[in-house]
């Protein structure tokens, strides 16, 4: 699989995540860092979507009637809470094992999340969507051609829609903390999970979408506090950050 009309996915990364797919929902397993990270990600997504679509923050399911695509959904750690908030959710991943894990877990929870093995390029070629919200979380640093991939995802966005991109900054601080520290010192992640050379600076993410009919905002930083063991929003974008991509309403 290379950067073609059918896939921009790096097969080595797909295989790496497939080998540990059964551990997605173990809060103490190999995906524990994502479980720690999830509260701040979910809060940011909810906040941005509430503002974008003018929904009632007090509503139990404020996003009824909106379609959401979770691209690179893994085991469904974001897809499931998005479904609970009222979105009609499609989660896609290039790994069959990830999709099998996500599907089984959603069924156990009685959640009507639709999962399938697919890539952004396949969805666009099939005429899928458009989607009101696209979650592009910790995926872009794993693809072959991040610019083409991001433009493909943006093309799946509905008029008035919102895409949230989360990734890692290509800084020496990120190399020390997110690569060496997380993988080899603290062993939070399996060795080889990330390639620092694929980390992206915010200006690169913004540049990928130059000329596309979208508006890009951010970066919005997030940081880990080792004393509290929690992630929180931060002005520090040197390691982890998020950006929003919005398409003007028609």
């Amino acid at each position: 699989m290379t950067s073609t009309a059918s896939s921009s996915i790096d097969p080595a990364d797909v295989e790496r995540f497939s080998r540990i797919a059964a551990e997605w929902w173990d809060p103490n397993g190999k995906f524990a860092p994502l479980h720690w990270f999830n509260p701040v990600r979910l809060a940011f997504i909810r906040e941005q979507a509430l503002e974008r679509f003018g929904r009632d923050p007090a509503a139990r399911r404020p996003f009824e009637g909106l379609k959401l695509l979770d691209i690179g959904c893994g085991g469904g750690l974001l897809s499931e809470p998005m479904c609970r908030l009222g979105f009609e959710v499609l989660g896609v991943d290039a790994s069959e094992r990830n999709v099998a894990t996500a599907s089984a877990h959603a069924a156990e929870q009685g959640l009507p999340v639709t999962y399938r093995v697919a890539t952004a390029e396949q969805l666009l070629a099939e005429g899928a969507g458009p989607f009101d919200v696209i979650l592009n979380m910790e995926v872009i640093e794993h693809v072959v051609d991040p610019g083409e991939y991001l433009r493909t995802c943006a093309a799946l966005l509905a008029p008035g829609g919102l895409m949230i991109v989360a990734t890692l900054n290509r800084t020496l601080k990120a190399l020390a903390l997110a690569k060496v520290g997380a993988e080899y010192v603290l062993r939070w992640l399996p060795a080889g999970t990330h390639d620092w050379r694929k980390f992206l600076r915010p200006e690169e993410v913004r540049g990928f979408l130059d000329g596309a009919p979208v508006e890009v905002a951010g970066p919005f930083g997030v940081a880990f506090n080792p004393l509290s063991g929690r992630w929180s929003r931060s002005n520090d974008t040197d390691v982890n950050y998020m950006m929003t991509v919005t398409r003007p309403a028609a």
Side-chain angles (χ1 to χ4, degrees):
M1 291 184 290
T2 58
S3 182
T4 68
S6 61
S7 176
S8 63
I9 300 300
D10 184 334
D13 272 322
V14 174
E15 175 57 27
R16 185 176 298 111
F17 284 101
S18 293
R19 286 196 298 268
I20 54 177
E23 298 194 44
W24 275 103
W25 287 95
D26 180 358
N28 300 309
K30 289 184 171 63
F31 293 105
L34 281 182
H35 285 268
W36 306 335
F37 198 18
N38 240 19
V40 72
R41 295 197 302 174
L42 292 169
F44 183 80
I45 295 165
R46 185 176 183 275
E47 169 192 305
Q48 293 294 320
L50 286 170
E51 181 179 351
R52 182 67 179 172
F53 300 103
R55 297 302 176 98
D56 180 4
R60 181 170 172 269
R61 293 171 58 85
F63 303 116
E64 292 277 9
L66 296 177
K67 295 176 63 176
L68 180 144
L69 171 65
D70 185 5
I71 188 86
C73 64
L77 298 186
L78 290 174
S79 293
E80 288 195 10
M82 292 298 105
C83 179
R84 289 190 171 97
L85 287 172
F87 284 109
E88 177 187 336
V89 178
L90 170 63
V92 302
D93 200 282
S95 166
E96 292 185 11
R97 293 181 185 177
N98 284 349
V99 168
T101 297
S103 298
H105 195 272
E108 290 170 359
Q109 304 301 310
L111 294 172
V113 181
T114 300
Y115 290 108
R116 58 173 293 199
V117 179
T119 65
E121 293 85 355
Q122 287 174 323
L123 294 178
L124 186 62
E126 294 168 3
F131 300 92
D132 301 293
V133 174
I134 297 177
L135 301 185
N136 210 320
M137 313 296 279
E138 291 81 39
V139 177
I140 193 170
E141 68 270 20
H142 295 287
V143 304
V144 175
D145 185 338
E148 186 62 28
Y149 164 77
L150 192 58
R151 289 186 289 273
T152 299
C153 292
L156 291 164
L157 200 57
L162 165 71
M163 176 163 66
I164 298 177
V165 180
T167 190
L168 291 149
N169 205 342
R170 195 171 67 255
T171 63
L172 291 178
K173 184 175 179 180
L175 175 62
L177 297 179
K179 176 62 181 175
V180 178
E183 295 183 20
Y184 296 98
V185 178
L186 298 173
R187 303 284 183 176
W188 284 350
L189 300 169
T193 297
H194 290 115
D195 181 346
W196 178 79
R197 296 167 297 179
K198 288 186 174 183
F199 290 6
L200 296 165
R201 297 189 178 100
E203 58 267 26
E204 292 174 318
V205 173
R206 189 181 301 276
F208 291 149
L209 294 171
D210 279 351
V214 295
E215 299 173 359
V216 184
F220 306 93
V222 287
F224 182 72
N225 185 330
L227 297 178
S228 67
R230 294 181 179 178
W231 288 87
S232 62
R233 293 277 296 276
S234 169
N235 291 326
D236 184 356
T237 61
D238 287 345
V239 182
N240 295 84
Y241 67 91
M242 295 180 281
M243 300 183 79
T244 62
V245 179
T246 54
R247 182 180 292 274

